[in-house]
Amino acid sequence: MRAEKWDAELYDAKHAFVWEKAKGLLELLAAKAGERILDLGCGTGSLTAEIAASGAEVVGVDRSPEMIAEAGKKFPALRFDVSDARALPFSHEFDAVFSNAALHWIPEAERVVAGVARALRAGGRFVAEFGGKGNIGSVVAALETALTRLGISPDDANPWFNPSIADYASLLEKHGIEVREAVLFERPTKLEDGERGLATWITMFGASFLDRVPEPERPQFLQEVELAARPALWKTDHWVLDYRRLRIAAWKCAS
Ligand code: BEZ
């Protein structure tokens, strides 16, 4: 899922919070031994391995070959496939589809939901968490301000899909998946690396903004982002981003 090309090493080294904060989501999934579970947007596989530890049979998929290669190296006993969430190849075969921190990268949400509905057996569940409405609003505003200060248009640079509960629940129900739990909550997220943390985060996740800036101007761009973001997001000696999560538990209807 996510962007086209990923730095799997930087992801593991500096952004472990992506899976470390998912404990509650794993509890909501409550995987059982013998179940077949699809981990959609598995990244480097850390949560896939935690699900497998329950005794479930897990398949991890991600659109990024770099992430899948790293996942395979870390967890050679598990199955990982490169697969695009917009065109999932599975049919009525999983007891659950799980997804953490991936679906906000995919604006073609209806294609994803249709694929999830197809992948689940009747009565199977979809347990997912991703960026919800208003997610990282201050970061997006700072990125757009910084582009504008450099004379570059910010139009359509924002790659993220952050729906409301109502919009996403409607989409799921349209595809025969009944929402039983949905919550939108603030999850302030502390970055590693002190002063450099925001620039590191943008290097990892902000390619669609960074790519608009000519290489020699990128240090200035990052400084402009920091300047614009500082009043909202700098806390004494580290950055705290204004993440908002949408957490969903939903069941595929029997008929
Ligand atoms: C998120 O997890 O909400 C997120 C991560 C990277 C970029 C944008 C959003």
Side-chain angles (χ1 to χ4, degrees), residues 117-132:
R118 215 171 28 248
L120 285 170
R121 64 163 177 78
R125 63 202 186 279
F126 178 45
V127 175
E129 185 174 310
F130 57 103

Side-chain angles (χ1 to χ4, degrees), residues 97-179:
V97 175
F98 172 87
S99 184
N100 179 57
L103 301 182
H104 47 252
W105 288 103
I106 315 173
E108 300 92 340
E110 181 137 26
R111 287 170 59 187
V112 177
V113 169
V116 168
R118 215 171 28 248
L120 285 170
R121 64 163 177 78
R125 63 202 186 279
F126 178 45
V127 175
E129 185 174 310
F130 57 103
K133 194 171 171 67
N135 192 38
I136 54 166
S138 302
V139 183
V140 172
L143 287 160
E144 291 180 347
T145 298
L147 280 181
T148 305
R149 291 218 173 111
L150 267 60
I152 300 167
S153 168
D155 292 353
D156 304 322
N158 182 349
W160 298 305
F161 165 71
N162 295 132
S164 66
I165 289 180
D167 287 347
Y168 205 70
S170 302
L171 195 57
L172 289 169
E173 287 176 6
K174 182 176 165 193
H175 287 269
I177 303 177
E178 182 186 62
V179 176

